[in-house]
Amino acid sequence: MTTPFTQPQSPLTGIEDDLSELRNHELLKTIPPETVLTVSWQPTSTDTPVTTTAEVTDTDSPSPLVTLAPESDGTMLYATCPDDDSLYIKPATPTQAIDGGELRDVTVQSVPVKPLYITDDGVNTPGPLVGKTGYLSIESDTGHTHRKITDDGLEEHDQRILSPLMMGSNPHELDGRELSIWLLDERRRWYRLVDDRNHSLDSYPLVDRPAYSAADLEENPYYERLETSWEVVQQLKRAVQDDPQFDDESEDRIVKRLMNMESHLFGVQLDVDCPKPRSKRDANPTLYHNPDWETYDEALSMIETRLTAVSDAHRNAITDTRQLTDVRLGVHRLESAIEDLREYVTTPTGKPTDTP
């Protein structure tokens, strides 16, 4: 009835066009060094606009927003922003023979894509992010993840950088995958993974976890609750895509929210160090649950109940403030997502048109 929802494209697909659609002010606060731009401005002393291609050389100074090195000569330009509505090109030094003026247009020609290495010690956190705290955003071809980084900040080797790629991905097939990473209010950067691991059994244990036995999983207080929640989300996606009460736009909106829930569930799974077998169905068939529900509201309530149990079990087992905060925030994000979903999927009777 409707077109199945597809995964988003790689964050490197069409990024120049996407960035160029930003307002000039937003763009110059977003782009990283080594970005090549075509900029046009209206000089103060002539009616003829000036256009030049330049590379961003510095974005660290609060004013100007960026420093540009034009390809045509050895001059340097400043892109300054005296207020939220106006942008100006100015010479880097008063002695430069260039007539600055109001910036009219900025087009992105190319964006630097840096290598991001995975070694036997873990994924190398990009230098500008090491030790940083705040709200971290990571975008890949499998989705978009948000995480709050607190206390000591991102570590030199930090598996949270790869969280959106680990949903349904083979940890040994990460080479060449692409990421866009940024902290709230900081510049966005693009990376392509380079897998430098030796791929031995013990290689990169933080992400490439071994297959756990059924006994190991039975003893874990989080496994059944998180795995069942994950399966309910998969069932909800299939049910919504097959439900004729949702038009294409509504279906896409709901499925995107369910995909975000998948990402948040994976984040909680990492935070509680929950074991995850490489193949649930084959390796642990007795522990693979197929939840039974009849209404959308019942399905969402099943997830809520299990999240509460995960949160309670973690609070009773852990005293580390950082771990407690991360899990609490992850569960809170999921609870908020569930409330948001209820507005879209629950009819007055609480039943879908076709029971899955």
Side-chain angles (χ1 to χ4, degrees):
M1 67 123 214
T2 57
T3 303
F5 182 80
T6 57
Q7 293 281 9
Q9 291 182 311
S10 160
L12 300 187
T13 302
I15 53 176
E16 289 84 5
D17 292 338
D18 291 342
L19 286 173
S20 295
E21 291 178 359
L22 295 175
R23 291 178 61 245
N24 292 345
H25 177 261
E26 296 170 335
L27 171 63
L28 293 177
K29 289 172 61 177
T30 301
I31 54 176
E34 299 181 37
T35 301
V36 177
L37 308 171
T38 296
V39 293
S40 298
W41 69 94
Q42 180 62 56
T44 56
S45 62
T46 178
D47 294 332
T48 304
V50 176
T51 300
T52 188
T53 299
E55 178 179 325
V56 177
T57 63
D58 179 26
T59 59
D60 294 333
S61 303
S63 181
L65 287 177
V66 299
T67 305
L68 302 170
E71 292 181 345
S72 57
D73 53 45
T75 62
M76 298 291 286
L77 307 176
Y78 282 166
T80 65
C81 178
D83 55 55
D84 287 342
D85 298 321
S86 300
L87 282 167
Y88 292 88
I89 285 288
K90 294 184 177 180
T93 64
T95 59
Q96 283 185 305
I98 185 170
D99 190 0
E102 186 175 355
L103 195 63
R104 293 295 178 84
D105 183 63
V106 180
T107 301
V108 179
Q109 301 297 336
S110 66
V111 174
V113 180
K114 301 289 187 179
L116 183 60
Y117 291 93
I118 308 175
T119 69
D120 288 333
D121 294 324
V123 57
N124 291 348
T125 301
L129 296 177
V130 174
K132 291 288 189 70
T133 60
Y135 287 94
L136 179 70
S137 291
I138 312 163
E139 184 178 350
S140 74
D141 57 349
T142 55
H144 193 171
T145 297
H146 302 278
R147 309 233 8 185
K148 184 174 182 180
I149 308 299
T150 58
D151 297 330
D152 296 331
L154 287 166
E155 301 172 1
E156 185 177 355
H157 298 100
D158 204 311
Q159 75 268 28
R160 290 173 289 186
I161 295 293
L162 295 186
S163 56
L165 282 179
M166 297 314 298
M167 295 186 301
S169 297
N170 184 334
H172 286 304
E173 297 178 354
L174 295 176
D175 192 67
R177 300 290 292 276
E178 298 158 352
L179 291 170
S180 173
I181 306 172
W182 68 102
L183 283 164
L184 184 65
D185 294 329
E186 293 196 8
R187 295 185 182 275
R188 188 165 179 162
R189 288 173 168 85
W190 287 262
Y191 298 93
R192 184 174 286 110
L193 291 175
V194 177
D195 193 345
D196 268 359
R197 294 172 293 167
N198 60 27
H199 291 282
S200 67
L201 184 62
D202 298 325
S203 177
Y204 197 8
L206 290 177
V207 169
D208 192 10
R209 296 174 176 175
Y212 285 80
S213 67
D216 292 332
L217 295 172
E218 285 175 344
E219 295 177 359
N220 187 278
Y222 313 114
Y223 173 76
E224 185 277 337
R225 294 153 178 166
L226 290 173
E227 287 298 307
T228 301
S229 299
W230 182 279
E231 177 59 18
V232 171
V233 171
Q234 308 311 306
Q235 291 179 340
L236 281 168
K237 284 199 298 186
R238 293 191 292 267
V240 168
Q241 290 170 340
D242 292 338
D243 194 332
Q245 72 171 306
F246 300 117
D247 58 25
D248 289 358
E249 183 179 352
S250 298
E251 177 189 316
D252 284 354
R253 185 183 302 116
I254 295 169
V255 172
K256 285 179 181 177
R257 283 166 166 76
L258 290 168
M259 289 178 65
N260 284 334
M261 285 186 65
E262 291 175 338
S263 177
H264 293 323
L265 278 168
F266 181 75
V268 171
Q269 188 174 44
L270 287 178
D271 288 335
V272 300
D273 195 27
C274 176
K276 185 175 182 65
R278 290 178 180 170
S279 173
K280 295 188 290 290
R281 292 184 184 275
D282 299 332
N284 302 283
T286 61
L287 291 179
Y288 187 85
H289 297 267
N290 187 24
D292 183 23
W293 50 272
E294 294 185 356
T295 70
Y296 291 138
D297 187 65
E298 182 182 352
L300 294 174
S301 295
M302 289 177 68
I303 300 175
E304 280 183 318
T305 300
R306 283 160 175 77
L307 288 174
T308 299
V310 167
S311 183
D312 290 345
H314 190 260
R315 186 172 59 251
N316 293 333
I318 301 295
T319 58
D320 183 270
T321 302
R322 175 179 175 178
Q323 293 184 43
L324 289 171
T325 300
D326 286 348
V327 173
R328 179 177 59 81
L329 289 173
V331 171
H332 177 70
R333 282 192 292 266
L334 284 161
E335 291 172 341
S336 298
I338 290 172
E339 287 304 310
D340 180 46
L341 272 169
R342 277 199 169 95
E343 297 181 8
Y344 290 99
V345 301
T346 307
T347 62
T349 61
K351 295 183 179 180
T353 304
D354 294 324
T355 301

